[in-house]
Amino acid sequence: MNVAPMRGGTAVQDHVALAEIELCGELIIAASAAAERLSFDRIDEVLQVADERDPGDDLR
């Protein structure tokens, strides 16, 4: 990863912000390729979000 140097010769990296920007870019690409609005399931797929809940959790 290349980081632009700031004045004074120091470089700043904000890995969280860069990850968020990358995820936003993925959503923009998916939305522009879709014929209609993205469903919540499609958004989760694009963002690689997995439901880690145990199906039996609702019964406890």
Side-chain angles (χ1 to χ4, degrees), residues 12-44:
V12 176
Q13 290 185 3
D14 186 339
H15 297 286
V16 174
L18 292 174
E20 288 178 358
I21 291 167
E22 185 175 338
L23 291 173
C24 287
E26 294 295 329
L27 279 176
I28 291 168
I29 291 167
S32 66
E36 50 191 49
R37 287 183 176 208
L38 297 178
S39 67
F40 289 117
D41 290 335
R42 178 66 180 129
I43 292 170
D44 287 347

